[in-house]
């Protein structure tokens, strides 16, 4: 809200104090929301939601697939000749670590840029740079060159998940958000193929790796072809985002003016608006002092220490006794498991309200069992080890659900981008730690890394349940409070074309209030 010196109190309106606020205190969608007095028609709202799905979700799916595929290229290249060609030894792990160090350094600046600039345009710029850098991997001949390109790659990719979270909160209700985050990795049910893009990335990456093994072009090696091909795919994606990805519901090119109003009215129920370009320091401090911020961050960190399995996957599977060709093709199964588990997880959340923590916790059980079995089965039982390794992909559902959940329980645009940044910085921290647990002295059984992974998987479900308890208690507290009418009579001055100044009432849902300020806000569980 504005300073008290700027507030004007008028007791004449309906007998209640009226507060006049600056335009930067309100949400960017407030103008459209205030322009319509017609009640929202559920049928029209559903039609507009489906139209939003058709135009946004395919682009999100494509980019999330490309992002995940690009991150796995280093692991795939490990068995395609990159280690020999660039003289990598024990320092190979640092290439996975430096990506997330860069991601961590630039995560909050990326979030600030996403608030300051148009989301779609900023993301497309980052994707363009990322495509060039990815292709440049093919020109690297030593560790130093790879270190540099991986650093720039991490910087650019830091905008993707943060941008997706912002866009999801702009276009979808809290109930829809967790499901849509799952659909970043999936095609929407209205499409012919219901596949999760994280899993699909592993499948297609496996086929690409298998295909480039059969390219014989002199000095240009298979791993270099893989980098160039994935760079070209990413470049095409950058063009798609530059021309077709929307910045917000207020400017979405595929919506008519009337449909934009409906899109804004649809998310009024969130009590969190769409976006606000004004940076508010007080919301930053609220995010930092909010216990749920750090519980989500702890979960994100611990859940992503095992994410090092992504880059270690080829090395681990081949260590079980499988050939190079078998290892690349078996990656298809990894992807298929993610397809099934993430899709079923988000559908369960959609089917059973307030079940995010419970579903996420249950899906960690196979991870715990699988990681223990990898450490205890005889090393000669390569089939048993392989199946145990595969079960550790089930718990990915928990992290997918947490991304949508943290967005749904945080209001206030600056607070939301700060909370997202903290959670994604914790994500980076986990991914920085992860590659370092795979030390040479632990091979071939890697018992110490697998013990660490088992402990992380064991703690994560309890954190999800603790967050649920915290939010449920807060909802109960608010239900017993007397209604807060502080924001019932809030007005903003607006100049008409003829120069006349009028005051327009602003709904509290578009005042850019935080979830703590707005006592009408209820947390989804």
């Amino acid at each position: 809200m504005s300073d008290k010196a700027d507030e004007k109190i008028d007791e004449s309106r309906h007998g209640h104090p009226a507060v006049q606020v600056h335009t930067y205190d309100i949400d960017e969608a407030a103008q459209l929301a205030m322009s319509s007095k017609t009640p929202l028609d559920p049928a029209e709202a559903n039609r507009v939601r489906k139209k939003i799905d058709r135009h946004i979700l395919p682009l999100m799916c494509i980019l999330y697939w490309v992002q995940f595929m690009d991150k796995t290229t280093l692991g795939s290249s490990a068995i395609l000749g990159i280690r020999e060609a660039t003289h990598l030894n024990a320092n190979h792990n640092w290439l996975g670590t430096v990506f997330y160090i860069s991601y961590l350094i630039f995560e909050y600046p990326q979030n600030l840029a996403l608030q300051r600039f148009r989301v779609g345009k900023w993301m497309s710029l980052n994707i363009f740079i990322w495509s060039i850098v990815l292709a440049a991997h093919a020109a690297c001949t030593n560790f130093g060159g790879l270190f540099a390109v991986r650093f720039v790659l991490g910087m650019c990719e830091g905008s993707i998940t943060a941008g997706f979270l912002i866009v999801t909160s702009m276009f979808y209700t809290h109930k829809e958000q967790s499901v849509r985050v799952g659909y970043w990795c999936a095609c929407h049910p209205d499409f012919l193929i219901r596949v999760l893009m994280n899993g699909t990335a592993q499948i297609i990456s496996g086929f690409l790796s298998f295909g480039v093994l059969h390219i014989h072009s002199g000095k240009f090696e298979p791993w270099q072809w893989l980098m160039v091909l994935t760079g070209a795919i990413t470049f095409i994606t950058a063009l798609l985002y530059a021309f077709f990805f929307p910045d917000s519901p207020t400017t979405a090119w595929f919506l008519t003016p009337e449909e934009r109003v409906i899109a804004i009215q649809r998310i009024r129920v969130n009590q969190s608006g769409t976006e606000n370009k004004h940076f508010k320091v007080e919301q930053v401090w609220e995010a930092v002092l909010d216990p749920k911020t750090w519980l989500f961050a702890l979960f994100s960190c611990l859940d992503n220490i095992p994410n090092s399995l992504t880059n270690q996957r080829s090395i681990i599977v081949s260590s079980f006794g499988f050939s190079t060709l078998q290892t690349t093709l078996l990656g298809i199964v990894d992807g298929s498991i993610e397809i099934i588990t993430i899709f079923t997880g988000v559908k369960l959340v959609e089917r059973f309200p307030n079940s995010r923590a419970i579903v996420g916790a249950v899906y960690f059980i196979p991870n715990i069992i699988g990681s223990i079995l990898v450490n205890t089965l005889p090393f000669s039982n390569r089939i048993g080890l392989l199946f145990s390794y595969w079960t550790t992909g089930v718990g990915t559902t928990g992290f997918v659900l947490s991304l949508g959940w943290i967005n749904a329980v945080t209001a206030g645009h600056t607070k939301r981008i700060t909370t997202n940044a903290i959670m994604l910085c914790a994500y980076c921290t986990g991914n920085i730690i992860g590659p370092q647990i795979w030390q040479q002295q632990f091979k071939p059984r890697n018992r110490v890394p697998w013990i660490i992974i088992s402990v992380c998987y064991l703690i994560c479900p309890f954190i999800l349940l603790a967050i649920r308890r915290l939010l449920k208690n807060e909802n109960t507290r608010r239900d017993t409070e007397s209604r807060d009418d502080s924001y019932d009579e809030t007005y903003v001055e607006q100049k008409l074309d003829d120069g006349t100044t009028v005051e327009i009432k602003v709904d509290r849902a578009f005042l850019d209030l935080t979830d703590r300020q707005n006592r009408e806000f209820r947390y989804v569980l």
Side-chain angles (χ1 to χ4, degrees):
M1 299 296 291
S2 56
D3 294 334
K4 289 186 177 180
D6 296 320
E7 294 178 358
K8 299 177 182 178
I9 305 299
D10 179 1
E11 300 284 354
S12 63
R13 295 187 184 91
H14 312 296
H16 297 288
V19 181
Q20 186 184 57
V21 298
H22 288 300
T23 53
Y24 61 66
D25 282 318
I26 67 174
D27 191 85
E28 287 211 339
Q31 181 89 14
L32 279 177
M34 295 183 297
S35 68
S36 175
K37 305 298 182 184
T38 306
L40 183 63
D41 178 11
E44 275 297 287
N46 191 50
R47 182 185 65 81
V48 170
R49 192 265 302 161
K50 288 182 178 180
K51 189 173 184 179
I52 291 170
D53 282 345
R54 288 196 300 271
H55 287 84
I56 291 182
L57 287 177
L59 288 172
M60 284 183 157
C61 289
I62 290 169
L63 181 55
Y64 209 68
W65 165 64
V66 168
Q67 181 193 32
F68 193 83
M69 181 182 68
D70 289 353
K71 283 194 290 188
T72 61
T73 51
L74 187 63
S76 300
S77 298
I79 59 170
L80 296 177
I82 192 172
R83 286 187 291 181
E84 294 77 15
T86 56
H87 315 292
L88 295 179
N89 295 306
N91 55 10
H92 177 268
N93 287 345
W94 277 102
L95 296 181
T97 299
V98 71
F99 174 92
Y100 289 104
I101 289 176
S102 175
Y103 200 130
L104 175 63
I105 293 171
F106 290 98
E107 185 55 41
Y108 198 55
Q110 284 281 19
N111 273 268
L112 293 178
L114 286 165
Q115 181 180 23
R116 175 65 181 83
F117 304 112
R118 293 300 178 187
V119 177
K121 304 303 180 289
W122 182 256
M123 288 177 67
S124 65
L125 175 62
N126 277 272
I127 300 166
F128 171 75
I129 298 171
W130 157 20
S131 69
I132 302 301
V133 172
L134 187 62
H137 280 61
C140 296
T141 57
N142 53 42
F143 172 77
L146 288 172
F147 189 93
V149 292
R150 297 298 293 180
F151 185 86
V152 179
L153 198 64
M155 176 183 69
C156 294
E157 289 202 30
S159 67
I160 306 306
T161 301
F164 278 4
L165 289 173
I166 291 172
V167 170
T168 303
S169 68
M170 287 181 185
F171 283 92
Y172 295 104
T173 66
H174 287 165
K175 182 179 179 180
E176 297 163 348
Q177 283 175 23
S178 287
V179 180
R180 290 321 181 276
V181 170
Y183 288 162
W184 296 348
C185 312
C187 289
H188 188 261
D190 289 345
F191 294 89
L192 294 178
I193 303 176
R194 304 180 179 186
V195 290
L196 298 184
M197 290 322 205
N198 250 16
T200 311
Q202 294 189 53
I203 293 174
I204 296 181
S205 181
F207 278 122
L208 281 176
S209 300
F210 180 76
V212 297
L213 273 172
H214 295 79
I215 299 177
H216 305 287
S217 54
K219 294 184 178 180
F220 211 69
E221 298 185 29
W223 70 269
Q224 292 173 304
W225 277 112
L226 181 64
M227 294 298 183
V228 171
L229 287 173
T230 51
I233 293 170
T234 307
F235 179 77
I236 294 170
T237 306
L239 296 179
L240 291 175
Y241 268 68
F243 290 105
F244 299 112
F245 197 71
D247 297 308
S248 81
T250 61
T251 59
W253 62 271
F254 54 85
L255 297 177
T256 66
E258 294 77 16
E259 289 172 337
R260 291 174 187 174
V261 174
I262 294 172
I264 297 303
Q265 288 180 315
R266 259 180 28 84
I267 62 167
R268 188 190 300 267
V269 67
N270 290 353
Q271 292 290 318
S272 57
T274 59
E275 65 175 330
N276 187 298
K277 297 299 183 186
H278 182 67
F279 182 78
K280 301 179 180 180
V281 177
E282 66 274 15
Q283 291 195 11
V284 174
W285 285 113
E286 183 175 318
V288 171
L289 296 174
D290 194 330
K292 73 175 184 293
T293 300
W294 298 105
L295 284 173
F296 275 112
L298 178 61
F299 171 80
S300 183
C301 178
L302 293 178
D303 189 44
N304 281 284
I305 290 176
N307 199 38
S308 57
L309 290 170
T310 300
N311 281 329
Q312 295 291 328
R313 182 242 162 225
S314 297
I315 299 171
I316 292 171
V317 175
S318 61
S319 74
F320 294 159
F322 295 97
S323 69
T324 299
L325 290 179
Q326 288 172 330
T327 300
T328 56
L329 289 176
L330 285 172
I332 297 169
V333 180
D334 299 39
S336 301
I337 291 170
E338 283 204 13
I339 288 173
I340 296 168
T341 55
I342 297 178
F343 184 76
T344 56
V346 297
K347 294 307 288 184
L348 284 172
V349 168
E350 186 177 41
R351 174 68 179 82
F352 301 102
N354 293 322
S355 62
R356 291 165 177 81
I358 296 171
V359 172
V362 169
Y363 272 60
F364 270 106
I365 295 174
N367 288 53
I368 297 168
I369 296 172
S371 59
I372 292 173
L373 286 175
V374 170
N375 235 352
T376 56
L377 287 175
F379 206 47
S380 58
N381 187 357
R382 66 174 190 167
I383 301 300
L385 290 170
L386 180 63
F387 274 82
S388 299
Y389 168 78
W390 277 337
T391 61
T392 62
V394 176
T396 306
T397 304
F399 184 67
V400 170
L401 293 176
S402 73
L403 288 175
W405 194 14
I406 192 172
N407 229 33
V409 297
T410 308
H413 197 69
T414 303
K415 181 178 181 180
R416 187 183 297 123
I417 67 150
T418 303
T419 304
N420 288 343
I422 290 172
M423 185 180 184
L424 291 173
C425 283
Y427 160 85
C428 295
T429 302
N431 280 287
I432 289 170
I433 296 170
Q436 300 308 311
I437 68 177
W438 301 94
Q439 298 296 324
Q440 185 66 35
Q441 65 263 33
F442 302 138
K443 294 180 179 180
R445 284 309 308 256
N446 291 309
R447 292 191 185 278
V448 171
W450 281 107
I451 289 173
I452 294 171
I453 287 171
S454 297
V455 171
C456 290
Y457 285 150
L458 187 61
I459 296 173
C460 281
F462 289 101
I463 297 175
L464 290 178
L465 296 174
I467 295 171
R468 188 180 195 276
R469 170 56 61 182
L470 177 71
L471 299 181
K472 186 176 182 180
N473 289 345
E474 180 59 26
N475 282 344
T476 302
R477 187 179 301 112
R478 295 188 182 195
D479 289 341
T480 59
E481 292 175 351
S482 57
R483 187 179 181 280
D484 179 15
D485 60 359
S486 304
Y487 303 101
D488 286 355
E489 299 290 335
T490 309
Y491 295 80
V492 62
E493 286 188 352
Q494 188 176 54
K495 283 191 176 182
L496 302 179
D497 293 338
D498 60 4
T500 305
T501 300
V502 296
E503 290 185 336
I504 301 176
K505 185 176 181 179
V506 185
D507 189 288
R508 74 166 65 206
F510 298 101
L511 286 176
D512 194 37
L513 300 174
T514 67
D515 51 279
R516 284 192 171 184
Q517 290 174 317
N518 184 3
R519 306 305 290 179
E520 294 295 301
F521 187 95
R522 292 296 182 273
Y523 298 102
V524 294
L525 305 177

